Amino acid sequence: MFAISGFSQEPTFVFEDTVNDQAQVKFISYNSYSSNRFSNEFMDKFIFGGDISTELKTQMANRLKGANVFGGEMEQRIDSYSPDIHLFKKEDYGMKLSFSDNHYFSANITEDLFNTALFGNSNYIGDTMDFTFSSVQYQHYQKFSLGFYHKSNLSSIQLSYISGSKTLKGALNESWMYSRPELDTIDVFLSGDAFFTDRMFPYWAFQGSGFSIDIDYNFIFEGKTKNKQIINFRINNLGMIFWNKNSLSYTGMAQRSYSGFNIQDLLDDDTTDFDIDWLDTMGVNQNMGRQVDVLPFELVVQKLADRQSTNSLQAIFGFKAIMVPNYFPYLYVGGYYQPIKDFSVSTRLSYGGFAGLRWGINVNYWLKDNFYFGLGSFDVIGLASKKIGRGRGFNFSMYYRL
């Protein structure tokens, strides 16, 4: 019997055994967002609505530096393991089926863009506001996965069909705004690109198709103390999405000076054409057509805890990278404690991702080796505090052996 119990995005995996003779269904829920600058008090109001006081805006503005990142990952997943279905007619391999609903989002905002958006340009009269390298990205998609796993070392490979629901992606290259001292004209230079699906609703909108490959390999060896050691190597989301022909894209590089739009011209303009006319005035090109987008490719290397180890206390550590803008290499180190066979607790300190230093706790419980339940957070401080915390995370996992 076996299971790897944990969370697929930022996992605290537990390697259980090298024998699998039962079918298994596993449910996983991973939900996390964080920032290296913005507090929960600010992010809660920005995401869910509410009055953002001048004092709170000022507090956030004083924290800003070169990179001001906000991002998150959410995955709801179900895995099915069937040891009696032998792919390639090899008895050492079973079939693994999976379905997941995935969200990924990230943003980087410059100090000048933040201040301009929340305070206006009054503090920049006769000065230049730099928006260079500001960016935003959001993807929502589902994965339908088929593959096989090895019954001994639990390594697996899956090929997935990707159903794209919606996306938004934009980035500014060299971009700035200058407010003239006379207060009558603003000079703007913009360069960048963006694209998004034409509909951001309904939730299960089908607006694209794609594919991905997921590889999960466990390297098992014997350490100096004769205890089993497991190093896990994973590649996730190696693939892309082809968005449909209704996707909108924008590109532009222009320098303009503006003294304002004439209100009467705006009222008299045909509303159908105004958006296009306004974009043309800004020097922005609009196109409609298919777009190709890469998935948030992940690389993970980590040492797993072994449930069968004779040591009640084990070290855990790992590394994770997502090959997308605004994500910094994620490192963690911690300990796994199993006082009895059916219960364990782990804790970790981590740094990177979308945030700085974080502390997490996870608990695991097994019931007669047929039922597993795991619960935890990789940002306990964020869950407990609005003012100190800079993100939140909640993870749930369970399986049942049939």
Side-chain angles (χ1 to χ4, degrees):
M1 295 183 291
F2 84 91
I4 293 180
S5 55
F7 315 107
S8 63
Q9 301 295 323
E10 267 181 31
T12 299
F13 283 136
V14 182
F15 189 94
E16 294 196 31
D17 208 335
T18 57
V19 178
N20 170 39
D21 56 6
Q22 291 178 260
Q24 177 183 227
V25 178
K26 179 164 61 175
F27 301 91
I28 300 168
S29 177
Y30 173 86
N31 308 277
S32 175
Y33 67 87
S34 58
S35 172
N36 64 345
R37 302 284 182 248
F38 305 119
S39 69
N40 286 339
E41 184 179 13
F42 176 81
M43 288 191 290
D44 286 351
K45 293 181 178 180
F46 187 81
I47 296 173
F48 305 111
D51 179 58
I52 303 177
S53 66
T54 301
E55 180 184 5
L56 181 57
K57 289 188 288 186
T58 302
Q59 290 177 0
M60 296 302 102
N62 292 335
R63 293 182 179 182
L64 302 182
K65 296 182 181 179
N68 308 294
V69 174
F70 167 73
E73 304 168 78
M74 291 178 284
E75 179 179 53
Q76 321 307 318
R77 181 183 179 95
I78 180 171
D79 293 322
S80 173
Y81 296 84
S82 302
D84 295 328
I85 300 178
H86 308 300
L87 298 183
F88 312 115
K89 299 181 179 180
K90 301 289 186 179
E91 293 189 1
D92 290 338
Y93 294 90
M95 184 178 70
K96 181 180 178 181
L97 292 174
S98 303
F99 169 78
S100 66
D101 180 50
N102 305 269
H103 295 264
Y104 170 85
F105 58 94
S106 70
N108 179 46
I109 181 170
T110 66
E111 182 178 356
D112 287 350
L113 182 57
F114 178 89
N115 288 331
T116 302
L118 272 70
F119 296 101
N121 68 329
S122 60
N123 293 328
Y124 290 90
I125 303 303
D127 199 0
T128 299
M129 295 158 275
D130 187 5
F131 306 150
T132 305
F133 299 136
S134 293
S135 64
V136 62
Q137 178 177 352
Y138 169 65
Q139 288 183 341
H140 177 207
Y141 58 91
Q142 294 78 46
K143 295 176 68 173
F144 301 84
S145 308
L146 169 65
F148 60 91
Y149 66 95
H150 195 280
K151 298 179 185 179
S152 178
N153 62 21
L154 312 183
S155 300
S156 66
I157 298 178
Q158 287 186 288
L159 179 64
S160 302
Y161 165 74
I162 305 298
S163 175
S165 288
K166 57 188 76 75
T167 191
L168 167 66
K169 189 174 184 179
L172 292 177
N173 300 320
E174 182 183 358
S175 298
W176 48 263
M177 180 184 296
Y178 175 71
S179 297
R180 296 188 186 181
E182 297 81 4
L183 303 180
D184 60 352
T185 304
I186 294 177
D187 301 308
V188 178
F189 179 83
L190 293 175
S191 63
D193 56 80
F195 77 88
F196 53 87
T197 48
D198 66 325
R199 291 183 295 125
M200 300 303 287
F201 61 87
Y203 184 86
W204 298 105
F206 177 76
Q207 301 188 87
S209 296
F211 68 91
S212 74
I213 298 174
D214 300 319
I215 300 173
D216 191 337
Y217 182 77
N218 293 312
F219 178 61
I220 303 174
F221 62 97
E222 194 173 87
K224 293 182 179 179
T225 60
K226 305 300 182 181
N227 284 318
K228 186 166 60 214
Q229 304 293 320
I230 304 100
I231 302 296
N232 175 248
F233 172 82
R234 292 189 298 116
I235 292 176
N236 289 330
N237 293 331
L238 181 58
M240 58 187 63
I241 302 177
F242 301 88
W243 298 103
N244 65 27
K245 62 183 180 179
N246 295 322
S247 300
L248 298 171
S249 63
Y250 299 87
T251 58
M253 179 182 293
Q255 185 169 356
R256 298 287 188 272
S257 296
Y258 301 96
S259 56
F261 290 100
N262 185 293
I263 298 299
Q264 190 59 48
D265 289 344
L266 173 59
L267 296 175
D268 293 340
D269 206 327
D270 187 293
T271 57
T272 303
D273 297 329
F274 174 73
D275 287 341
I276 297 177
D277 293 342
W278 184 79
L279 290 171
D280 288 343
T281 301
M282 292 289 292
V284 177
N285 299 316
Q286 175 182 272
N287 294 289
M288 178 179 290
R290 300 185 184 276
Q291 295 289 328
V292 180
D293 197 12
V294 296
L295 291 171
F297 168 70
E298 297 179 2
L299 173 64
V300 179
V301 180
Q302 59 189 340
K303 178 186 177 296
L304 307 184
D306 179 17
R307 189 185 176 203
Q308 304 302 324
S309 175
T310 57
N311 296 329
S312 59
L313 182 63
Q314 302 175 58
I316 56 174
F317 51 85
F319 163 86
K320 172 183 174 180
I322 303 181
M323 309 304 179
V324 292
N326 307 324
Y327 190 92
F328 301 94
Y330 175 89
L331 301 169
Y332 77 87
V333 61
Y336 173 87
Y337 179 62
Q338 185 173 308
I340 59 176
K341 180 182 179 182
D342 296 330
F343 175 80
S344 69
V345 59
S346 63
T347 184
R348 66 163 66 175
L349 285 175
S350 63
Y351 185 87
F354 299 113
L357 188 66
R358 286 179 286 176
W359 170 53
I361 294 179
N362 190 79
V363 296
N364 306 287
Y365 177 72
W366 290 266
L367 180 62
K368 297 182 180 180
D369 287 329
N370 287 322
F371 176 81
Y372 162 82
F373 175 85
L375 185 66
S377 172
F378 297 120
D379 193 353
V380 175
I381 296 175
L383 284 180
S385 173
K386 285 187 176 182
K387 293 185 178 296
I388 301 177
R390 298 183 184 181
R392 290 192 175 91
F394 175 78
N395 314 296
F396 167 77
S397 179
M398 64 174 290
Y399 70 67
Y400 180 72
R401 292 185 175 126
L402 306 177

